[in-house]
Amino acid sequence: EDQVTQSPEALRLQEGESSSLNCSYTVSGLRGLFWYRQDPGKGPEFLFTLYSAGEEKEKERLKATLTKKESFLHITAPKPEDSATYLCAAPKAAGNKLTFGGGTRVLVKP
Amino acid sequence: EPEVTQTPSHQVTQMGQEVILRCVPISNHLYFYWYRQILGQKVEFLVSFYNNEISEKSEIFDDQFSVERPDGSNFTLKIRSTKLEDSAMYFCASRGDSNYGYTFGSGTRLTVV
C-alpha cells in the first residue's frame, strides 16, 4: 500500500531558528514528490515538485531536497508568516492521484 | 496567476439532502480531481476525471457520489444523500498535460447536520 509519512507532526520555532521537516514515502512507480503549504481553512498551495534523487529546489526561506526514500523541507531563518501546515504528496504512476502525508504544523513565534 | 475557483465556500445541509459542489478548473487543464479533508485528518483522494470520464476513484467514492463536467468550464461533485460523516472540506484540483503543478482550489466546507 502506498504510504507517505511526515514528521514531526508539529514544530514550534522561534523566529530565525532554522529546522527541517521530513517526508518518507513508499509509493510504487513514483513520479515526483510534491510539497504544499496549507493555511487554516484554505486549500493546499503548491510549493515544489522534485523528480529525482539529489534534486533540490528553493523558494525564499524554503529548500526542498529528495533522496530515494525521503524528502526534506528545510526552513532557514523562519518568520512568523511561515507558520502553516506543510504537506508532502506523491503521485502514483498510473492515474496520478496524489497520496498525501499527514502534514507538519509549523508555528513560528516572534 | 490562474486559479481553481470553488463555490460555495461553506455549505450547511440537512442529513439526507443532496448537495452539489462546484468548481471552475484552470481553463487549459485536462485532468480534474476531487479530494476531501475531514477536520484534523489527511487530505484524501476521491476521484479523478479525464476526457469526460472517471479515470480513478477511491473506496470513499461510492454510489452516493457522482461527478460531472456539464460544460467546458465547470466540474461538479454531487452527493445524493448526505450523511453526517460527509462533513469535511472538499477540494477541487486540476492539472495540465504534465505531472507538474496540481493546483487546488480554496475548498468548500460542507457541514451536514
Side-chain angles (χ1 to χ4, degrees):
Chain A
E1 183 183 336
D2 299 333
Q3 283 199 351
V4 178
T5 304
Q6 292 187 246
S7 62
E9 288 186 8
L11 198 55
R12 293 168 66 98
L13 301 171
Q14 286 297 126
E15 184 172 1
E17 179 188 359
S18 301
S19 189
S20 294
L21 285 54
N22 177 264
C23 171
S24 62
Y25 58 89
T26 53
V27 175
S28 57
L30 183 74
R31 289 178 60 188
L33 190 289
F34 292 75
W35 282 97
Y36 285 87
R37 170 190 170 123
Q38 187 177 29
D39 292 301
K42 301 291 185 185
E45 176 190 342
F46 173 76
L47 292 174
F48 304 110
T49 307
L50 301 165
Y51 287 105
S52 55
E55 189 175 359
E56 297 184 354
K57 295 264 179 81
E58 283 190 69
K59 181 179 180 178
E60 296 181 359
R61 294 175 292 283
L62 301 177
K63 183 167 83 171
T65 61
L66 183 67
T67 71
K68 287 186 178 178
K69 293 277 179 72
E70 57 191 351
S71 178
F72 294 92
L73 184 66
H74 309 278
I75 310 178
T76 302
K79 298 182 177 181
E81 53 262 43
D82 295 321
S83 297
T85 296
Y86 291 88
L87 303 172
C88 71
K92 278 184 71 70
N96 291 317
K97 69 175 186 181
L98 289 177
T99 299
F100 279 86
T104 295
R105 292 190 315 278
V106 175
L107 176 64
V108 182
K109 307 200 86 174
Chain B
E1 187 171 329
E3 59 181 30
V4 175
T5 305
Q6 290 188 242
T7 55
S9 57
H10 190 190
Q11 178 145 6
V12 181
T13 189
Q14 296 257 336
M15 192 168 53
Q17 294 296 303
E18 173 184 288
V19 295
I20 297 175
L21 310 183
R22 302 181 191 280
C23 169
V24 179
I26 292 173
S27 61
N28 61 348
H29 280 187
L30 302 175
Y31 299 82
F32 313 110
Y33 307 84
W34 284 101
Y35 289 79
R36 79 172 185 189
Q37 186 175 31
I38 295 170
L39 189 63
Q41 297 187 21
K42 290 185 179 185
V43 177
E44 302 175 286
F45 168 77
L46 291 178
V47 66
S48 58
F49 192 86
Y50 170 71
N51 202 24
N52 284 318
E53 61 183 22
I54 290 173
S55 48
E56 188 175 2
K57 58 185 180 180
S58 72
E59 293 175 354
I60 303 166
F61 195 88
D62 61 21
D63 292 345
Q64 293 301 310
F65 291 85
S66 62
V67 289
E68 198 176 41
R69 188 157 162 82
D71 52 42
S73 60
N74 292 286
F75 180 50
T76 62
L77 174 70
K78 181 193 290 186
I79 310 175
R80 288 189 183 81
S81 178
T82 49
K83 305 176 188 138
L84 295 175
E85 54 264 37
D86 293 328
S87 295
M89 282 286 282
Y90 287 80
F91 296 111
C92 174
S94 70
R95 72 176 176 92
D97 191 18
S98 74
N99 207 36
Y100 181 84
Y102 294 67
T103 303
F104 283 78
S106 291
T108 294
R109 179 176 300 282
L110 177 66
T111 303
V112 182
V113 297

